């Protein structure tokens, strides 16, 4: 059975995010003054063949 997992990764709140700040300023310049903050992140889409018989919940616990 083919399984698909989405993994989202963000910087911790304590880490400065200059790219997010640049996007926020650009959005404000483009006419969206209500944007309070932007945080950069990455998304990984992973597909794999699961021959173990694990349920989706079992697989999610493995990656947490």
């Amino acid at each position: 059975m083919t399984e698909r997992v989405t993994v989202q990764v963000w910087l911790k709140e304590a880490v400065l995010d200059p790219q997010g700040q640049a996007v926020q300023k650009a959005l404000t310049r483009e006419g969206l003054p209500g944007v309070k903050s932007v945080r950069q992140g990455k998304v990984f889409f992973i597909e794999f063949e699961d021959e173990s018989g694990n349920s989706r919940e079992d697989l999610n616990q493995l990656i947490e």
Side-chain angles (χ1 to χ4, degrees):
M1 164 179 8
T2 300
E3 288 289 336
R4 292 183 184 100
V5 177
T6 303
V7 179
Q8 300 176 346
V9 181
W10 288 277
L11 297 171
K12 292 183 177 183
E13 288 293 325
V15 176
L16 294 177
D17 186 358
Q19 185 174 3
Q21 292 172 346
V23 171
Q24 176 190 5
K25 289 177 184 177
L27 291 172
T28 301
R29 281 194 307 271
E30 293 297 319
L32 294 170
V35 178
K36 293 186 178 197
S37 70
V38 176
R39 299 291 292 177
Q40 172 205 350
K42 292 183 179 183
V43 178
F44 298 90
F45 301 101
I46 303 169
E47 283 190 21
F48 59 95
E49 287 296 321
D50 180 28
E51 298 174 3
S52 67
N54 291 330
S55 68
R56 181 171 292 276
E57 291 77 23
D58 293 337
L59 297 171
N60 286 335
Q61 289 177 357
L62 289 174
I63 62 171
E64 289 181 350

